[in-house]
Amino acid sequence: MKLLLKKLGGVDKTPFFLIQSKDLDENVTDFRSALDLLWPNSIIAYSVKTNSLPWILEWMNRHGVYAECVSDEEYELAQLAGFSEHNIVFNGPIKSRKKVLEAFEGNSYINIDSESEVGLFSQVECNDHVGIRINVDTRIFDPADVGYVEDGFRFGFSDLNGELERVIRQLGNKKLGLHMHVNSITRSVNVYKAIAAYTAGIIRKYELAPSYIDIGGGFFGGVPGKAKPTDYISAIKA
């Protein structure tokens, strides 16, 4: 989606976001068409933190896009914008216990991203909308694509140090979803191809049957000369 920041003439004027609704509609339609063609039964979720203007959230909800939230405040904002709990993906390491339980009861998609959440979900019978965030090994990427191979990623459970295996064993649920998120500086198709291959290796290694696979974010959308939705989905599917 393209959000254009334009400044009215003069230094005393206030900048504002000009949203091209036609471009917004085309971007969402193109991504949904690519998914319908190449990977049916898929969901598109909009990152609330990217731009949380109520108009955008309400527009996304009307057009069948889910809300991806990373805090209690974002979750509540999505609810105020009209999203049902079932149409919210709840990510991030700072979710409160109260809001996580509310999201669980409301059948939201919840991706576990902290030790406290592991303890919480080890005490309940997980439904098929609960997943684990994997800290992807940065060595699988071209450094030019991610920019900081040596530092690694901050969130999720790593397979390199045994954390991921421990969490899988502790939760004891082979139908848990898997969540991979990578901050790419190039948005290259190769990034998503590498994530998909890494995910397939994790599934084979631990003999998992994930209920869903959550891959994002930072896709190009509607940018001339750049990767298209079909390019991304084809790379992930391959």
Side-chain angles (χ1 to χ4, degrees):
M1 114 189 18
K2 290 188 284 189
L3 298 175
L4 305 181
L5 183 60
K6 291 195 173 183
K7 190 173 183 180
L8 297 173
V11 294
D12 60 334
K13 302 298 183 180
T14 303
F16 67 96
F17 282 106
L18 176 63
I19 301 168
Q20 303 285 4
S21 58
K22 179 177 179 292
D23 291 342
L24 192 62
D25 183 70
E26 288 178 355
N27 288 345
V28 171
T29 298
D30 288 349
F31 223 106
R32 179 172 286 117
S33 297
L35 287 169
D36 289 344
L37 176 66
L38 299 168
W39 203 311
N41 193 29
S42 298
I43 293 168
I44 301 174
Y46 172 75
S47 170
V48 172
K49 69 177 180 290
T50 299
N51 191 311
S52 58
L53 288 174
W55 184 91
I56 293 180
L57 299 183
E58 292 168 358
W59 188 97
M60 292 293 177
N61 187 36
R62 290 197 307 272
H63 288 77
V65 178
Y66 285 34
E68 187 263 342
C69 306
V70 296
S71 68
D72 289 13
E73 292 77 14
E74 287 186 7
Y75 193 98
E76 292 167 359
L77 180 59
Q79 290 175 301
L80 288 172
F83 287 92
S84 69
E85 287 86 351
H86 177 64
N87 288 6
I88 297 177
V89 179
F90 205 10
N91 292 330
I94 56 171
K95 306 184 285 290
S96 72
R97 178 187 178 92
K98 178 181 178 182
K99 190 59 69 175
V100 167
L101 290 174
E102 177 187 328
F104 182 73
E105 291 297 323
N107 209 27
S108 300
Y109 285 87
I110 306 171
N111 289 314
I112 298 171
D113 204 346
S114 69
E115 290 294 339
S116 62
E117 291 173 13
V118 174
L120 174 61
F121 282 105
S122 65
Q123 303 170 29
V124 300
E125 176 142 1
C126 295
N127 58 33
D128 60 2
H129 286 174
V130 176
I132 303 171
R133 178 166 181 170
I134 297 176
N135 189 308
V136 180
D137 182 1
T138 55
R139 294 176 300 179
I140 70 173
F141 303 109
D142 184 330
D145 287 327
V146 296
Y148 45 90
V149 173
E150 294 81 7
D151 296 333
F153 297 122
R154 291 174 292 172
F155 305 121
F157 300 96
S158 172
D159 188 45
L160 296 177
N161 61 10
E163 283 185 342
L164 179 60
E165 180 176 10
R166 176 182 55 79
V167 171
I168 291 173
R169 303 308 178 201
Q170 184 173 342
L171 293 175
N173 188 332
K174 300 299 186 182
K175 293 192 67 177
L176 287 164
L178 299 177
H179 171 43
M180 280 69 57
H181 180 92
V182 175
N183 298 320
S184 165
I185 60 177
T186 64
R187 306 189 185 189
S188 167
V189 169
N190 290 330
V191 170
Y192 301 93
K193 185 180 296 185
I195 293 174
Y198 186 77
T199 304
I202 292 293
I203 291 171
R204 289 192 298 268
K205 180 176 180 179
Y206 296 109
E207 300 179 338
L208 301 175
S211 54
Y212 65 85
I213 297 173
D214 183 343
I215 292 181
F219 300 103
F220 276 120
V223 181
K226 301 297 183 180
K228 300 178 176 59
T230 50
D231 298 327
Y232 289 119
I233 307 307
S234 295
I236 293 170
K237 184 177 180 179

